[in-house]
Amino acid sequence: MNALFVTIKEKIDGEVLDAAGPQLKVVATISVGHDHLDVAECRKRGIRVANTPELLTDATAELTLALLLCTSRRLPEALNAVRDGGWTKWSLTWMVGPGLADATVGIVGFGRIGQAVAKRIKPFQVARILYSNRSERPNDIGATRVTFDELLKESDFVICCIAFTPDSKEIFNRSAFEKMKKTAIFINTSRGGTVDQAALVEILKEGRIRAAGLDVTTPEPLPLDSPLLKLKNCVVLPHIGSATIEATNAIAEMTARNILAGLTGDRMPGELK
Ligand SMILES: O=C(O)C(=O)CO
């Protein structure tokens, strides 16, 4: 085998590389995230590694918005009520949730996806967009860089778009959730590993924040007896961030191109540097 075409579900480590054999030249993942690849180990063995950045930015940003609105406006709860007879009459305060207009939105991780989310949030007439990121990201959206703690304290909606690395592992722990407003909504379309999930369950149970919307969890799929699935104030999606027809076709093609270029020694469109 000369090349591996992998998804986010295949962990590529030294053991897999040993099994693949010394003729392996390329590992290409059909994803932007590459936390499932031991890139250093690949490099050590002279194996080229590539991902599919950019092509799923729009899809993931769209899904982030959809999940945010789904969570804030309680759409799954409302749909269930229509279906199970819970919708008995129209009532003024039934199914109310917070709006985006005049809200402060905080985006943790302001790379391509974070910025694409910010662009899509802005037309909802939010008051402020804050972001936390290792470096300043000049932008024409009017988003302001603040510290992680400041963002947690100030935001009505906290959106996690940060890449999953050892540094971002469980940055959303009990202490982080406790800094958030009691009325805040937490959205995660990055990786489940950025969240201490047991702490999130407790925080949601206690009503210490209003709600959470998660497209990513630990593990995936989430077991059916997960406490997250029993909470009314938690919306869980099955990791469908990039699942538009357009993005899926585009990343499939790019992964094939990455492999072909990697094997012929040409420039790979998504080579991880
Ligand atoms: O490409 C990725 O990293 C994904 O998580 C797809 O949603």
Side-chain angles (χ1 to χ4, degrees):
M1 186 185 324
N2 300 106
L4 286 177
F5 183 126
V6 301
T7 74
I8 54 172
K9 292 297 152 206
E10 282 88 45
K11 196 170 165 51
I12 304 299
D13 55 15
E15 201 182 321
V16 173
L17 298 176
D18 284 344
Q23 74 295 344
L24 185 70
K25 291 200 170 51
V26 180
V27 172
T29 181
I30 184 163
S31 64
V32 63
H34 49 82
D35 47 287
H36 53 301
L37 311 178
D38 188 338
V39 178
E41 187 58 36
C42 289
R43 288 234 173 89
K44 218 167 76 189
R45 299 172 185 230
I47 298 166
R48 297 175 76 187
V49 186
N51 69 343
T52 57
E54 287 170 34
L55 299 178
L56 34 70
T57 302
D58 290 339
T60 309
E62 285 174 13
L63 193 277
T64 305
L65 256 291
L67 179 56
L68 187 150
L69 291 170
C70 227
T71 309
S72 60
R73 300 299 299 271
R74 304 166 62 178
L75 300 192
E77 250 185 283
L79 286 169
N80 284 340
V82 172
R83 291 202 172 122
D84 68 14
W87 180 25
T88 51
K89 60 178 178 8
W90 188 87
S91 160
L92 186 64
T93 55
W94 190 53
M95 291 288 167
V96 293
L100 268 170
D102 296 325
T104 296
V105 177
I107 302 176
V108 177
F110 211 55
R112 287 190 199 96
I113 293 173
Q115 291 177 46
V117 169
K119 260 188 214 149
R120 284 159 176 79
I121 292 265
K122 199 175 158 78
F124 283 86
Q125 320 292 348
V126 296
R128 283 188 304 164
I129 300 178
L130 309 177
Y131 72 92
S132 68
N133 199 65
R134 226 176 320 170
S135 56
E136 183 92 36
R137 290 287 162 99
N139 64 85
D140 53 15
I141 307 157
T144 310
R145 182 169 169 236
V146 293
T147 64
F148 181 55
D149 278 6
E150 225 176 308
L151 183 147
L152 297 174
K153 229 169 62 198
E154 298 283 321
S155 301
D156 300 299
F157 296 85
V158 175
I159 307 176
C160 174
C161 294
I162 198 168
F164 183 48
T165 65
D167 287 343
S168 63
K169 186 171 163 41
E170 296 188 2
I171 46 167
F172 289 97
N173 52 22
R174 180 154 191 114
S175 149
F177 287 123
E178 279 176 348
K179 287 179 186 136
M180 286 166 57
K181 295 183 182 179
K182 230 182 143 185
T183 50
I185 289 185
F186 172 68
I187 302 295
N188 189 7
T189 50
S190 152
R191 283 290 181 268
T194 59
V195 174
D196 174 348
Q197 211 161 269
L200 176 61
V201 168
E202 290 311 311
I203 286 279
L204 287 170
K205 273 190 188 159
E206 293 162 15
R208 186 58 197 71
I209 64 170
R210 189 192 297 274
L214 313 171
D215 184 43
V216 286
T217 56
T218 310
E220 292 176 4
L222 206 53
L224 292 181
D225 63 354
S226 165
L228 281 178
L229 300 180
K230 299 191 169 46
L231 294 168
K232 261 194 172 174
N233 56 351
C234 187
V235 177
V236 181
L237 298 179
H239 200 147
I240 51 170
S242 66
T244 64
I245 296 162
E246 296 79 5
T248 303
N249 287 338
I251 59 179
E253 185 180 328
M254 185 169 179
T255 307
R257 286 188 193 286
N258 278 334
I259 289 177
L260 291 173
L263 290 176
T264 51
D266 293 327
R267 194 189 68 81
M268 297 162 96
E271 183 151 15
L272 275 170
K273 297 286 183 227

